[in-house]
């Protein structure tokens, strides 16, 4: 540990002084209008009147740049095309099969204009919703940029989601158009994703057109009057589409994320606040410059990809790398080989991926020259000190700082993290360190008091910040209720946290019924709803079980209806039902048949008790912070439930 801290680089740009951060942070909170106005001057605006920041009557939120007009696509493309960056590389793209494409800012600008023209020709207008379900090919990014260029609202759905999940999201957003591709590739296999869209569309009514991008060579079913090929329409497309001049608060995209009900939440981001936040955080956390090769190895289908593959890097004018495929395909050194071949300088991934590579062993990384790296990032879940140290030692070669970045779909961009672009503080493996400027974060107890140093509590953000999402699509009441009532007037992200005596923040995982499976957010109730929809199931409870690589995996407990008996076949059938409804990422690792579930007197399922039994942990480990039950009640329920699982398991063998 000492070694790690002492080995951190010090240079003119990296100031190892916590006070520098604290000082900027203080100024940003004291005068947000001035702070953000000044920063926004670095970007392009059609109109720039009025206040950068207006607090609203109801405390949780604010209007950001509300009376100003801008366009994200203009700031990401046209602004650079008018500068020396016109022919600078925006993206190096590599397919899983080794295929390569290079797109300069000017190439991308031309593609986006043509795509925008095609969308217009399909009747897409400002404010319309466009669902995008695509593999990680440049057209995915191009279609997003084209959508925001014309003021339409994109809803990107991760390509691993199944038909029912797509249908639910299309129906909620009332999308008029879906953009997809014929097929995608993963681990050498071809997946016919157009077929998944066809299946989803059997359960929707709003979609008028399906725009299909040609990726493969196979014959695809095209529905007459509904499905169109992009390569055919683009032939008559215009080379230039004037960007819409959009109000600061105009919705730019919806991204669905899981919560504590069965219905995913359409987190909706605005235009100017999100844009400024993406740009600001890209600079402050990743300290990017024109020589960098930036690689965020996430999927564009999640917020990490939206902000740090698409918008943050482009608005900042950097060169990025995009990789389509699996991280260990065809061999476990695929990533390390790519870092070497492209000379990547900043690399951003998740603790789950690091642990997966740890399992393959460091010999794969040692085969490659990784000395171009200067910043490593981590996101998606708390990073355990073992993974941190491995990443530091074998990838960062003991000289590269690790930015452990805490944030969420709802926050638009990074909120708590080391900030090499401002001043690099000494790192502590497992701590995300300090909040960014504009982020008024603290830890509170259940009784709404500020927690003492080292006391576990809830993370709370006391003031609005530019990247804050603006609503839950179609359900503003749920937005207020979910995020702003537990700590009235403050934003409650749903995470446990702790602040140590040096003021460093430690993020300790979700405090609600949402799991983190390989960095993906999965609502237990969504899974329970799928199980209950099966005729054999009377009741179910899904909990997260600790997993050495994925952090958590879903485990299901099911009570059958009278007349049904537990069997290995039924177990497989129920797990498959989840695969088919939501997608393989949500499939439970185990499913137990039980006669009873432990419940509180008010009928709430005691998830912590079930979790302790599933992990064969001692009842003493159960945290009661958010439970209404007494330790006595929990203990009794634990003993009873333990017998329950054992007895039913035996019946099955
Ligand atoms: C949840 C948000 C942020 C983009 C990807 C995930 C957890 C995220 C960290 C971190 C500890 C983290 C939180 C948060 N989380 N980053 N560095 N340390 N926990 O976005 O799917 O919206 O999930 O991920 O629990 O609430 P998301």
């Amino acid at each position: 540990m000492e070694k790690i801290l002492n080995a951190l680089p010090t240079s003119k740009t990296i100031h190892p002084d916590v006070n520098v951060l604290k000082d900027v942070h203080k100024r940003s909170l004291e005068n947000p209008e001035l702070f953000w106005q000044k920063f926004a001057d670095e970007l392009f605006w059609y109109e720039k009147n009025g206040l950068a920041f207006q607090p609203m009557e109801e405390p949780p939120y604010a209007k950001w740049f509300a009376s100003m007009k801008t366009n994200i696509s203009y700031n990401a493309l046209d602004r650079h095309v008018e500068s020396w960056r016109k022919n600078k590389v925006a993206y190096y793209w590599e397919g899983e099969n080794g295929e390569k494409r290079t797109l300069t800012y000017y190439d991308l600008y031309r593609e986006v204009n043509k795509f925008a023209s095609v969308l217009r020709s399909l009747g897409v207008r400002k404010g319309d919703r466009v669902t995008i379900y695509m593999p990680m090919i440049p057209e995915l990014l191009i279609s997003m940029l084209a959508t925001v260029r014309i003021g339409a609202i994109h809803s990107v759905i991760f390509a691993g989601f199944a038909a029912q999940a797509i249908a639910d999201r299309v129906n909620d957003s009332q999308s008029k158009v879906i953009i997809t591709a014929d097929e995608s590739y993963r681990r050498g296999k071809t997946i016919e994703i157009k077929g998944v869209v066809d299946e989803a569309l059997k359960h929707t009514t709003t979609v008028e057109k399906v725009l299909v991008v040609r990726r493969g060579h196979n014959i695809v079913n095209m529905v007459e009057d509904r499905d169109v090929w992009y390569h055919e329409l683009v032939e008559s497309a215009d080379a230039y589409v004037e960007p819409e001049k959009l109000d600061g608060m105009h919705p730019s995209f919806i991204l669905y994320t899981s919560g504590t009900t069965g219905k995913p939440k359409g987190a909706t981001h605005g235009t100017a606040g999100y844009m400024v936040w993406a740009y600001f955080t890209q600079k402050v956390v990743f300290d990017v410059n024109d020589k960098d090769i930036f690689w965020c190895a996430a999927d564009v289908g999640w917020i990490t990809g939206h902000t740090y593959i698409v918008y943050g890097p482009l608005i900042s004018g950097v060169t990025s790398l995009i990789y389509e495929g699996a991280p260990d395909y065809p061999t476990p050194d695929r990533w390390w080989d790519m870092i070497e071949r492209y000379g990547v300088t900043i690399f951003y991934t998740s603790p789950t991926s690091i642990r997966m590579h740890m399992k393959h062993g460091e010999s794969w990384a040692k085969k490659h020259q990784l000395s171009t790296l200067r910043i490593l990032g981590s996101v998606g879940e708390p990073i355990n000190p073992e993974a941190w140290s491995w990443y530091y030692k074998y990838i960062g070669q003991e000289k590269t700082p690790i930015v452990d970045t805490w944030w969420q779909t709802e926050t638009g961009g990074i909120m708590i993290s080391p900030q090499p672009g401002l001043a690099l503080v000494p790192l502590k493996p497992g701590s995300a360190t300090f909040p960014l400027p504009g982020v008024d974060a603290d830890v509170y107890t259940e009784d709404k008091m500020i927690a003492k140093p080292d006391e576990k509590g809830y993370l709370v953000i006391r003031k609005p910040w530019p990247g804050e999402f603006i609503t839950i699509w179609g359900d503003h009441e749920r937005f207020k209720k979910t995020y702003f009532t537990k700590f009235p007037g403050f934003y409650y992200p749903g995470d446990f946290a702790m602040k140590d005596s040096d003021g460093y923040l430690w993020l300790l995982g979700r405090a609600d019924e949402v799991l983190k499976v390989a960095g993906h957010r999965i609502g237990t109730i969504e899974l329970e709803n799928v199980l209950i929809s099966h005729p054999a199931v009377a009741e179910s409870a899904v909990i997260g079980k600790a997993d050495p690589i994925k952090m958590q995996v879903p485990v299901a407990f099911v009570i059958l209806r009278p007349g049904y008996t537990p069997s290995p076949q039924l177990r497989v059938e129920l797990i498959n039902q989840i695969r088919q409804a939501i997608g393989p990422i949500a499939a439970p690792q185990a499913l137990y048949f039980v006669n009873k579930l432990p419940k509180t007197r008010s009928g709430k399922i005691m998830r912590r008790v079930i979790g302790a039994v599933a992990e064969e942990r001692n009842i003493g480990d159960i945290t009661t912070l958010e439970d209404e039950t007494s330790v006595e009640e929990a203990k009794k329920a634990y003993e009873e439930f333990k017998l329950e699982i054992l007895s039913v398991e035996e019946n099955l063998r």
Side-chain angles (χ1 to χ4, degrees):
M1 177 82 167
E2 265 326 300
K3 185 157 180 262
I4 288 173
L5 297 186
N6 292 336
L8 290 172
T10 47
S11 74
K12 266 182 255 144
T13 52
I14 298 173
H15 197 308
D17 193 350
V18 176
N19 289 329
V20 174
L21 275 198
K22 291 215 163 141
D23 182 48
V24 181
H25 187 249
K26 193 161 159 256
R27 278 191 282 133
S28 74
L29 296 183
E30 278 169 2
N31 196 343
E33 291 85 352
L34 194 76
F35 190 90
W36 297 110
Q37 184 72 52
K38 221 172 130 230
F39 195 74
D41 281 344
E42 296 185 15
L43 296 171
F44 170 83
W45 305 82
Y46 292 105
E47 279 176 34
K48 203 157 180 272
N49 314 314
L51 294 173
F53 164 78
Q54 283 165 256
M56 284 167 78
E57 270 156 42
E58 289 182 73
Y61 29 74
K63 283 191 174 168
W64 291 96
F65 312 100
S67 52
M68 307 187 187
K69 288 193 194 300
T70 189
N71 184 290
I72 298 183
S73 152
Y74 188 98
N75 274 288
L77 302 167
D78 308 43
R79 201 169 112 254
H80 303 307
V81 163
E82 290 157 13
S83 78
W84 69 268
R85 290 197 183 95
K86 179 174 172 180
N87 291 314
K88 177 179 169 174
V89 173
Y91 292 113
Y92 292 107
W93 174 86
E94 193 166 300
E96 195 183 67
N97 56 8
E99 226 180 307
K100 291 189 178 83
R101 280 168 75 180
T102 301
L103 287 141
T104 64
Y105 274 90
Y106 195 52
D107 291 333
L108 198 62
Y109 165 87
R110 294 180 60 218
E111 296 296 332
V112 168
N113 273 286
K114 284 187 280 179
F115 211 109
S117 166
V118 168
L119 287 179
R120 280 246 171 101
S121 75
L122 293 178
V124 179
R125 298 287 172 263
K126 180 176 162 184
D128 287 345
R129 274 78 61 206
V130 174
T131 289
I132 302 176
Y133 183 73
M134 279 227 231
M136 285 267 286
I137 54 175
E139 283 73 14
L140 164 56
L141 293 82
I142 291 166
S143 63
M144 292 164 75
L145 290 156
T147 305
V148 297
R149 190 169 186 88
I150 60 174
I153 302 166
H154 61 68
S155 161
V156 178
I157 301 177
F158 170 60
F161 275 119
Q164 189 57 51
I166 302 172
D168 292 345
R169 287 158 177 75
V170 167
N171 287 332
D172 188 75
S173 63
Q174 304 265 294
S175 288
K176 195 166 168 182
V177 167
I178 297 193
I179 307 170
T180 189
D182 48 355
E183 52 193 46
S184 72
Y185 309 118
R186 190 82 182 172
R187 292 190 185 282
K189 278 201 269 229
T190 303
I191 305 153
E192 288 172 15
I193 69 165
K194 168 67 169 56
V196 183
V197 170
D198 289 344
E199 183 56 36
L201 290 187
K202 290 183 189 156
H203 311 282
T204 65
T205 52
T206 56
V207 175
E208 293 165 14
K209 293 284 173 198
V210 178
L211 181 58
V212 189
V213 172
R214 188 61 133 171
R215 167 93 178 95
H217 311 282
N218 291 321
I219 292 169
V220 177
N221 169 47
M222 297 290 277
V223 175
E224 223 184 305
D225 295 333
R226 190 196 73 181
D227 302 354
V228 285
W229 285 109
Y230 177 71
H231 65 261
E232 288 175 6
L233 297 191
V234 75
E235 284 180 14
S236 51
D238 295 333
Y240 178 74
V241 172
E242 168 103 41
E244 285 277 341
K245 301 177 173 65
L246 301 169
D247 290 344
M249 292 292 283
H250 179 76
S252 58
F253 66 84
I254 306 170
L255 187 55
Y256 285 88
T257 187
S258 289
T260 52
T261 73
K263 199 168 176 275
K265 299 180 278 198
T268 307
H269 281 281
T271 292
Y274 174 79
M275 176 178 86
V276 167
W277 197 242
Y279 177 61
F280 177 74
T281 55
Q282 182 80 42
K283 290 204 148 182
V284 165
V285 176
F286 296 113
D287 186 33
V288 287
N289 66 50
D290 274 310
K291 286 184 286 182
D292 279 315
I293 306 290
F294 179 78
W295 186 13
C296 166
D299 193 287
V300 170
W302 309 109
I303 191 73
T304 311
H306 278 54
T307 307
Y308 301 108
I309 298 179
V310 188
Y311 296 114
L314 289 179
I315 297 167
S316 312
V318 307
T319 299
S320 301
L321 178 61
I322 314 174
Y323 170 55
E324 176 194 29
D328 50 357
Y329 187 87
T331 49
D333 59 343
R334 179 66 185 257
W335 274 6
W336 320 134
D337 181 44
M338 287 181 62
I339 290 177
E340 178 174 9
R341 279 192 285 113
Y342 292 91
V344 172
T345 57
I346 305 166
F347 179 66
Y348 192 29
T349 186
S350 67
T352 291
S353 303
I354 298 164
R355 287 190 295 263
M356 190 195 79
H357 283 291
M358 271 172 88
K359 207 174 131 203
H360 287 309
E362 59 268 13
S363 61
W364 294 100
K366 282 184 174 160
K367 285 167 59 171
H368 297 278
Q369 180 62 261
L370 305 177
S371 58
T372 50
L373 289 169
R374 64 180 191 93
I375 293 178
L376 295 174
S378 170
V379 63
E381 42 181 310
I383 180 162
N384 49 314
E386 297 75 25
W388 197 102
S389 301
W390 189 90
Y391 198 27
Y392 184 76
K393 188 165 178 196
Y394 297 109
I395 310 306
Q397 330 244 297
E398 300 194 345
K399 62 177 175 52
T400 306
I402 294 177
V403 293
D404 174 5
T405 64
W406 179 90
W407 59 296
Q408 314 178 293
T409 304
E410 294 89 336
T411 70
I414 296 166
M415 300 285 278
I416 304 174
S417 169
Q419 297 152 50
L422 272 180
L424 184 62
V425 302
L427 303 177
K428 300 188 187 192
S431 165
T433 72
F434 297 97
L436 265 59
V439 179
D440 189 17
D442 215 328
V443 181
Y444 280 67
T445 65
E446 184 72 47
D447 313 328
K448 327 252 177 301
M449 308 283 280
I450 295 184
K452 294 194 243 349
D454 297 331
E455 186 187 1
K456 181 176 174 180
Y458 301 99
L459 182 69
V460 169
I461 316 285
R462 283 181 297 231
K463 292 198 171 81
W465 66 98
E468 183 172 17
F469 69 140
I470 58 173
T471 192
I472 290 177
W473 186 259
D475 200 347
H476 202 62
E477 278 311 305
R478 186 177 177 196
F479 169 71
K480 291 195 217 168
K481 192 163 162 279
T482 311
Y483 299 96
F484 303 101
T485 53
K486 187 168 169 73
F487 294 92
F490 298 164
Y491 175 78
Y492 167 58
D495 272 42
F496 287 125
M498 188 196 81
K499 204 180 195 180
D500 69 17
S501 47
D502 296 328
Y504 280 59
L505 285 163
W506 298 74
L507 286 311
L508 305 173
R510 298 291 306 187
D512 56 9
E513 280 147 23
V514 171
L515 309 184
K516 272 281 164 168
V517 181
H520 305 315
R521 214 156 125 178
I522 293 174
T524 49
I525 302 181
E526 277 171 71
L527 272 58
E528 288 163 10
N529 285 352
V530 175
L531 291 169
I532 291 170
S533 69
H534 190 283
V537 178
E539 214 181 327
S540 86
V542 173
I543 56 108
K545 185 180 165 187
D547 181 87
I549 295 204
K550 297 181 174 178
M551 182 165 139
Q552 284 187 308
V553 287
V555 172
F557 296 84
V558 163
I559 301 177
L560 294 179
R561 285 184 191 281
Y564 289 92
T565 43
S567 72
Q569 290 85 337
L570 184 55
R571 174 183 284 150
V572 171
E573 193 177 315
L574 291 173
I575 293 177
N576 276 342
Q577 181 145 327
I578 291 182
R579 275 177 189 279
Q580 274 147 27
I582 305 179
I585 52 166
Q589 192 199 50
L591 186 145
Y592 298 101
F593 297 106
V594 291
N595 294 312
K596 233 168 85 191
L597 289 165
K599 285 187 186 156
T600 63
R601 255 172 281 148
S602 65
K604 210 172 160 247
I605 293 174
M606 296 156 116
R607 286 168 191 281
R608 304 247 145 209
V609 166
I610 304 179
V613 172
E615 288 174 5
E616 297 175 29
R617 263 190 288 130
N618 197 296
I619 183 71
D621 297 343
I622 291 181
T623 147
T624 49
L625 190 57
E626 83 277 36
D627 278 343
E628 54 179 274
T629 32
S630 71
V631 176
E632 273 318 301
E633 281 174 299
K635 269 190 181 157
K636 189 162 162 269
Y638 174 86
E639 292 307 329
E640 281 174 13
F641 193 62
K642 218 161 69 179
L643 297 173
E644 183 69 33
I645 294 193
L646 282 179
S647 57
V648 184
E649 262 297 275
E650 312 244 276
N651 287 346
L652 268 181
R653 286 208 192 99

